[in-house]
């Protein structure tokens, strides 16, 4: 479904949070203007006054729709689900909705924040962590989270080609970018066959493929 409204996405090609929103926009068939915010160049463009005024957290993504700025990737995705209900990112049944949200939050709240750029920068600047220590930190929290998610999916009879059933939900939109991060950090993912199978399926879908970091106009 295409909408006549203007959607502007402040994004960064390698941001996994922005990656989630790009997938969601693509799944909904929403055309949008991509406005890159380079998170590293010149100390990080997210810290510039103009962007800080739009998003006081100084993070990406920010979605602007009808002149209103919306921050936080999961809030953006649920907003998109509200205004463009099909295809739905959350199942209709309450227990299924809770299950999908739990999977999404496991990634978005328990894994992703601990290997986010500003956390890694803080480890280096304030705690003098070297590359080996930072890599160990990243691996610790990604593996801990992926181990739990792999088990949750294996225990459930609701999983299929995707985290829940055979169509993408909010959980898949969080998982695929985090798997990209794990590969970027060269982690061994052999212990997670179900997560890798879901990744393979999702990346075969145009909405996911178009959202890949390497397919973005600002990709370095």
């Amino acid at each position: 479904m295409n909408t006549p409204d203007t959607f502007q996405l402040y994004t960064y090609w390698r941001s996994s949070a922005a990656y989630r929103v790009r997938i969601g926009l693509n799944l909904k068939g929403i055309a949008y203007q991509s406005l890159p915010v380079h998170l590293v160049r010149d100390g990080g463009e997210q810290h510039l006054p103009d962007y800080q005024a739009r998003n006081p957290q100084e993070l990406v993504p920010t979605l602007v729709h009808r002149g209103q700025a919306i921050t936080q990737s999961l809030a953006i995705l649920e907003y998109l689900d509200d205004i463009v209900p099909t295809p739905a990112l959350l199942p209709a049944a309450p227990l299924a909705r809770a299950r999908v949200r739990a999977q999404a939050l496991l990634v978005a709240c328990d894994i992703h924040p601990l290997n986010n750029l500003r956390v890694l920068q803080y480890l280096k600047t304030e705690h003098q962590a070297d590359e080996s220590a930072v890599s160990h930190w990243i691996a610790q929290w990604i593996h801990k989270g992926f181990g739990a998610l792999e088990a949750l999916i294996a225990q459930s009879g609701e999983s299929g080609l995707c985290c829940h059933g055979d169509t993408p939900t909010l959980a898949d939109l969080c998982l695929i970018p985090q798997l990209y991060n794990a590969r970027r950090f060269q982690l061994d993912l052999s212990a997670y066959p179900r997560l890798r199978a879901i990744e393979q399926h999702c990346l075969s879908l145009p909405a996911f493929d178009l959202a890949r970091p390497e397919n973005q106009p600002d990709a370095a």
Side-chain angles (χ1 to χ4, degrees), residues 8-215:
Q8 295 176 310
L9 181 66
Y10 289 84
T11 181
Y12 178 60
W13 69 284
R14 213 158 59 178
S15 162
S16 57
Y19 189 175
R20 297 168 196 155
V21 174
R22 294 195 300 263
I23 298 168
L25 287 163
N26 292 342
L27 281 171
K28 299 287 187 182
I30 298 173
Y32 66 95
Q33 180 185 9
S34 179
L35 299 172
V37 179
H38 202 293
L39 301 186
V40 180
R41 186 171 56 217
D42 298 327
E45 294 175 353
Q46 70 274 25
H47 305 306
L48 294 175
D50 284 352
Y51 188 74
Q52 185 184 36
R54 196 177 304 280
N55 185 333
Q57 279 195 286
E58 303 174 34
L59 299 171
V60 295
T62 300
L63 182 73
V64 177
H65 181 222
R66 297 175 180 170
Q68 299 297 313
I70 308 167
T71 63
Q72 289 292 336
S73 62
L74 267 63
I76 294 170
L77 289 168
E78 292 214 31
Y79 173 75
L80 296 178
D81 227 19
D82 287 339
I83 64 172
V84 183
T86 305
L89 299 180
L90 287 166
L95 280 176
R97 289 170 77 86
R99 178 175 182 269
V100 167
R101 281 196 173 107
Q103 293 174 342
L105 291 169
L106 187 158
V107 175
C109 296
D110 294 337
I111 301 176
H112 172 247
L114 290 170
N115 59 78
N116 200 7
L117 174 64
R118 61 179 179 171
V119 171
L120 303 184
Q121 289 175 335
Y122 187 84
L123 289 173
K124 293 175 182 178
T125 58
E126 300 299 323
H127 295 279
Q128 293 74 53
D130 60 17
E131 291 300 327
S132 175
V134 170
S135 295
H136 181 77
W137 171 275
I138 292 167
Q140 162 72 12
W141 300 116
I142 291 181
H143 282 308
K144 194 168 185 66
F146 277 177
L149 186 55
E150 179 80 12
L152 286 170
I153 289 173
Q155 291 167 7
S156 173
E158 300 293 329
S159 299
L161 293 173
C162 297
C163 291
H164 180 87
D166 293 331
T167 57
T169 65
L170 194 64
D172 304 286
L173 273 61
C174 290
L175 172 62
I176 301 310
Q178 192 60 57
L179 283 164
Y180 167 83
N181 276 351
R183 295 185 187 283
R184 175 185 159 205
F185 295 128
Q186 300 181 326
L187 299 189
D188 180 5
L189 301 178
S190 59
Y192 316 116
R194 289 179 180 268
L195 301 188
R196 289 186 287 109
I198 291 168
E199 178 188 39
Q200 183 178 10
H201 170 70
C202 286
L203 290 178
S204 72
L205 304 175
F208 284 80
D209 183 56
L210 289 170
R212 290 179 193 244
E214 59 269 26
N215 291 335

